[in-house]
Amino acid sequence: MTAPATRAVRRRVTVRGTVQGVGFRPFVHRLATDLALAGFVSNTANGVLIEVEGPPDRVAGFCDRLATQPPPLATVTGVGVEDLPVSGADGTFAIRSTDRSPGRTLLPPDTATCADCLRDLTDPADRRHRHPFVTCTHCGPRFTIATGMPYDRAVTTMAGFPMCADCAREYGDPLDRRFHAQPVACPRCGPRLRLLPAPGRGIRPARDADALATARALLGAGRIVAVKGLGGYHLACDATDARAVETLRTRKARGGKPFAVMCADLDAVRRIAVVSAPELAALTSPRRPIVLLRRRAGRSGLAPGLSPGSPHLGVMLPYTPVHTLLFGLPGDPPGPRVLVMTSGNRSGEPIVTDDDEALTRLAGLADAWLAHDRPIASPCDDSLLRVRPDGTEQVLRRSRGFVPRPLRLPVPVRPALAVGGDLKNALCLGVGDQAWFGPHIGDMGDLTTLEAARRAEAHLRCLTGVAPEVVAADRHPGYHSARWAARPAGHAPVLVQHHHAHIASAMAEHGLDGTAPVIGVAFDGTGYGDDGTVWGGEILLADYSGFRRYAHLAPAPLPGGDAGVANPCRLALARLWAAGLPWDADLPSVTACTTDELAVLRQQLARGVACVATSSMGRLFDAVSSLAGVCHRAGYEAQAALELEAAAAAAWASDSSAYAFAGDLDPAPVLVALVADLRRGVPAPVLAARFHRGVARAVAEICRRARRDTGLATVALSGGVFANALLEEECARLLAGYGFAVLRHGEVPPNDGGLALGQLVVAAHLRQEE
């Protein structure tokens, strides 16, 4: 007898996650065709909808491979399957048009040019040879061109570029890697480059290939060029040209803050920096972040003013075809192999994205503009991270390459918006078990930044479909972000204490549901305390519902507010005054001040005029930096602390001593010991190393005491001070050695760039309890 034919089954499959704009539908089509299955696939606002029919074993294999073998840029978070009546389909599998019903799906971040597109770019026989906008379903812009969802060309900034016949054929072919790649274009139908000179610079306008060649020549001649990228403009110059680097620094009013660089290739990276295997993986990943690398010893050829006072370089590789062409293809006239690539803005302003605005806001900064006519839907600055010795990453600025990838929340939340703080601002939207950070905005100090925050919120809401019912903000009464939050809320926002939010962000990133508190170590520069003083050296016992201040750094006056922060020598003298120690004339902090400055400062401290008490660990690092003779005047945020860390790193392997704090983080004995060592001629790097180790040992001892008092054995390290690699590593090492579970930030920044996630989960928890 002949065995009966296997009965067919039909199933409806819903795939959720980052499954649009990543080639998921052609992947499904190829998979179904290979297995000879019938049905269709379609994009919907909730993900990808598939109906598939065929033999049970093939249908089962099809469903399994959807989750286990997705396209490179896809992230599958869920696969729902339900049985349907068999239709008797004829064995064909179709790709249907996008369903525009309301709902929510996920959009991938912008990603670097893939290897296939780089081959097209460099192949003289390919029709996209030297095309500055070559892309496919595996690479290129997504977030920065999307104006709505579901993701389709009509709701991107490519809508104004009708495809030519050849591009349309590729776009419609399920077997082509450019099938439904929304930014697809070619030299005939795509965006165009143009070079616009600043008046009076003696530079001629140019277009397309001539624009690139002219820009490369200008960079080689020491000029500054504003280059339009994926998420905004960069200001670029030759990183080996000392005069060009100094000119850019002066024009941008950047102070001594280090510049990031873009290297043409890995050979150029290795000539200037030491690169480990995990750092190499981060550099070459599709995200293409700026990675902090150790500067190579000896002559690198880099301009001395590139990153003064820092042993590290922020390095990235080209991530767009424009960048690749700017460095030049084989046979092109030579140009710089390492370029400064810094955000296209004036200090304190958001990154520029609009072409007309770039010509006005960057006037006086750039000698020429290398622009193109594809609009940018949302600003998106470069991301920044460091790689720890164990190979894990600590993201310090989460933006391009990460946004809008969601984070999974350990607790469900009502639709909510958290607006973060006033420094390193980034917004966060959440609903259910997902949260979306917006791109890095920066410091909320003026109307342009507030307007950038408003646009970022509108764009994120559009892409996620989240309509906030709860708005969370910092408790600081003077924060621009908190005042701005009250307007979209329509009612008073939920105010979350700054350091509670820091600890909650670490808990949420590590998946803690908040049913048990943790010992939270929140060290940063500034945070509004519940007692009206400036906090920042806090040991908290915290969960999502609240916190108790278990211990804190002994307070000292902060003379002059922001003016004091810019003058670490004044902070050092205020610390000595609080500890009852004299201002002897031989101390570096005393000699750094003028006679009049010392007199005014004495009166301020004695009378308490313009002095607020602060327990900030960041300010203590600034003070010690000056006492050790490292940095007395700060030209940018955290300069003194960064230079103190750099000094400590130089002596870390040769000296293992530590200064001892008293009681609940009282630094008076530290100051006494440091001054004694200073007078004995102990070098500044050794002083810095002993201070770092002293802070770490004090943290470990207080956490051990907290465990004895409470039974808690999990410690969360958060706040901007933990961007300090030496301190974070030493704290984690000591705490782990004492048997603690240590929560350290990874994808969520430890600084105020991660604050909004903590605000989100705390506010959602508090509203649920009401």
Side-chain angles (χ1 to χ4, degrees):
M1 287 180 63
T2 303
T6 303
R7 294 186 60 185
V9 297
R10 187 175 184 87
R11 289 180 181 156
R12 176 177 292 141
V13 185
T14 304
V15 185
R16 296 178 301 279
T18 305
V19 290
Q20 293 188 16
V22 295
F24 203 88
R25 285 185 297 166
F27 156 72
V28 171
H29 181 274
R30 288 191 296 271
L31 180 57
T33 302
D34 290 345
L35 294 172
L37 298 174
F40 69 86
V41 58
S42 174
N43 275 345
T44 75
N46 290 306
V48 169
L49 174 67
I50 305 165
E51 289 192 12
V52 62
E53 184 171 324
D57 58 338
R58 295 184 194 172
V59 171
F62 171 88
C63 294
D64 179 65
R65 288 166 66 181
L66 288 176
T68 59
Q69 300 176 16
L73 301 185
T75 302
V76 175
T77 60
V79 177
V81 179
E82 59 179 304
D83 292 327
L84 297 175
V86 175
S87 69
D90 61 2
T92 61
F93 194 90
I95 296 177
R96 292 187 177 177
S97 58
T98 297
D99 172 13
R100 299 209 162 274
S101 60
R104 180 179 299 112
T105 191
L106 306 180
L107 184 71
D110 297 355
T111 53
T113 314
C114 69
D116 288 334
C117 284
L118 284 175
R119 278 192 291 271
D120 294 345
L121 184 72
T122 57
D123 181 2
D126 193 279
R127 71 186 190 91
R128 290 188 175 83
H129 180 230
R130 293 185 177 273
H131 177 47
F133 305 96
V134 60
T135 185
C136 70
T137 55
H138 300 150
C139 68
R142 298 295 189 273
F143 173 74
T144 54
I145 64 169
T147 59
M149 292 295 284
Y151 179 68
D152 211 346
R153 193 178 181 98
V155 286
T156 72
T157 59
M158 287 298 295
F161 297 92
M163 286 179 281
C164 67
D166 289 334
C167 286
R169 185 172 57 253
E170 294 169 339
Y171 183 87
D173 182 359
L175 300 181
D176 195 286
R177 82 173 199 276
R178 293 190 169 93
F179 175 76
H180 277 238
Q182 309 308 340
V184 68
C186 74
R188 288 171 54 195
C189 63
R192 304 286 296 275
L193 281 176
R194 63 190 188 279
L195 185 116
L196 305 171
R201 297 293 203 274
I203 303 167
R204 286 190 166 189
R207 295 187 68 87
D208 301 324
D210 289 339
L212 280 161
T214 303
R216 189 183 317 116
L218 289 171
L219 292 167
R223 300 294 189 95
I224 296 165
V225 179
V227 180
K228 187 177 181 181
L230 284 180
Y233 276 83
H234 285 108
L235 290 168
C237 72
D238 183 353
T240 67
D241 187 325
R243 180 177 295 178
V245 170
E246 189 55 37
T247 298
L248 177 56
R249 187 175 293 284
T250 301
R251 290 181 184 179
K252 196 174 176 182
R254 192 175 170 87
K257 190 174 183 180
F259 281 124
V261 299
M262 179 179 283
C263 293
D265 49 36
L266 287 175
D267 285 342
V269 173
R270 291 188 176 103
R271 282 195 290 270
I272 64 172
V274 179
V275 191
S276 68
E279 288 167 339
L280 180 65
L283 272 174
T284 58
S285 73
R287 299 166 302 172
R288 286 293 198 282
I290 300 170
V291 180
L292 288 178
L293 302 176
R294 283 177 295 133
R295 186 196 297 265
R296 186 170 289 282
R299 295 180 60 84
S300 65
L302 295 176
L306 190 70
S307 56
S310 173
H312 295 98
L313 294 170
V315 180
M316 59 180 158
L317 289 169
Y319 56 84
T320 72
V322 171
H323 294 144
T324 300
L325 294 169
L326 189 60
F327 282 109
L329 300 185
D332 286 341
R337 305 303 288 167
V338 184
L339 293 173
V340 170
M341 278 282 181
T342 187
S343 299
N345 55 10
R346 295 183 185 273
S347 294
E349 295 183 354
I351 189 171
V352 177
T353 59
D354 179 78
D355 297 336
D356 291 337
E357 194 177 351
L359 293 175
T360 55
R361 283 179 54 194
L362 302 183
L365 277 70
D367 297 309
W369 287 257
L370 181 62
H372 58 76
D373 54 356
R374 183 179 69 200
I376 296 172
S378 175
C380 202
D381 222 323
D382 296 315
S383 294
L384 170 68
L385 60 82
R386 72 176 180 92
V387 181
R388 299 183 177 103
D390 65 0
T392 60
E393 295 177 359
Q394 183 192 56
V395 175
L396 300 172
R397 184 168 68 211
R398 188 182 190 274
S399 204
R400 179 188 51 77
F402 291 91
V403 173
R405 190 174 74 200
L407 297 163
R408 182 63 60 89
L409 294 174
V411 290
V413 302
R414 291 168 56 186
L417 165 69
V419 301
D422 269 20
L423 300 179
K424 297 180 174 60
N425 183 269
L427 310 176
C428 190
L429 279 176
V431 65
D433 66 348
Q434 290 185 318
W436 293 265
F437 269 108
H440 169 80
I441 295 171
D443 297 349
M444 304 278 275
D446 55 34
L447 290 175
T448 58
T449 317
L450 290 170
E451 176 59 21
R454 186 197 64 77
R455 292 197 303 267
E457 185 214 348
H459 190 237
L460 200 58
R461 287 178 64 165
C462 176
L463 298 186
T464 63
V466 176
E469 299 171 8
V470 178
V471 176
D474 195 276
R475 282 186 189 169
H476 197 301
Y479 268 11
H480 299 283
S481 56
R483 290 198 294 269
W484 174 75
R487 289 196 291 273
H491 51 77
V494 179
L495 301 180
V496 182
Q497 200 279 327
H498 190 90
H499 303 97
H500 184 199
H502 270 309
I503 300 306
S505 73
M507 294 172 65
E509 181 178 9
H510 283 270
L512 273 63
D513 63 9
T515 55
V518 302
I519 303 168
V521 183
F523 287 173
D524 63 4
T526 300
Y528 186 75
D530 283 353
D531 58 3
T533 66
V534 177
W535 289 6
E538 314 306 310
I539 312 291
L540 309 179
L541 307 180
D543 56 21
Y544 296 140
S545 64
F547 70 94
R548 177 165 71 88
R549 196 181 187 199
Y550 181 80
H552 58 85
L553 184 70
L558 178 60
D562 289 342
V565 173
N567 293 277
C569 53
R570 299 182 193 173
L571 301 179
L573 297 180
R575 267 290 164 193
L576 291 175
W577 185 87
L581 300 175
W583 295 0
D584 293 329
D586 62 334
L587 296 179
S589 302
V590 174
T591 58
C593 293
T594 65
T595 302
D596 289 345
E597 195 174 6
L598 290 172
V600 170
L601 189 58
R602 284 186 190 278
Q603 289 187 355
Q604 272 188 289
L605 295 172
R607 299 175 183 177
V609 176
C611 288
V612 62
T614 180
S615 61
S616 165
M617 183 60 75
R619 299 290 79 85
L620 179 62
F621 269 77
D622 293 344
V624 170
S625 184
S626 176
L627 279 173
V630 174
C631 178
H632 302 300
R633 312 287 181 181
Y636 61 90
E637 183 197 1
Q639 178 180 351
L642 287 170
E643 293 186 4
L644 186 70
E645 180 189 1
W652 197 255
S654 61
D655 188 281
S656 59
S657 303
Y659 295 131
F661 285 75
D664 286 351
L665 280 176
D666 179 358
V670 172
L671 303 179
V672 170
L674 189 149
V675 168
D677 279 350
L678 188 67
R679 288 186 170 133
R680 281 195 289 269
V682 176
V686 175
L687 303 178
R690 290 175 180 178
F691 172 71
H692 277 71
R693 283 199 166 93
V695 174
R697 292 185 188 182
V699 166
E701 287 306 314
I702 292 174
C703 289
R704 291 177 74 192
R705 177 155 53 84
R707 180 170 57 186
R708 289 194 298 269
D709 292 345
T710 65
L712 300 177
T714 298
V715 177
L717 305 179
S718 192
V721 170
F722 284 110
N724 182 314
L726 285 181
L727 181 68
E728 195 218 32
E729 289 295 328
E730 185 68 2
C731 284
R733 185 186 70 82
L734 292 174
L735 289 165
Y738 288 133
F740 287 97
V742 184
L743 310 182
R744 298 196 281 176
H745 282 284
E747 188 171 327
V748 177
N751 54 43
D752 284 6
L755 199 66
L757 178 64
Q759 293 174 346
L760 186 84
V761 291
V762 170
H765 188 90
L766 294 177
R767 280 296 167 90
Q768 286 174 351
E769 289 185 338
E770 291 178 357

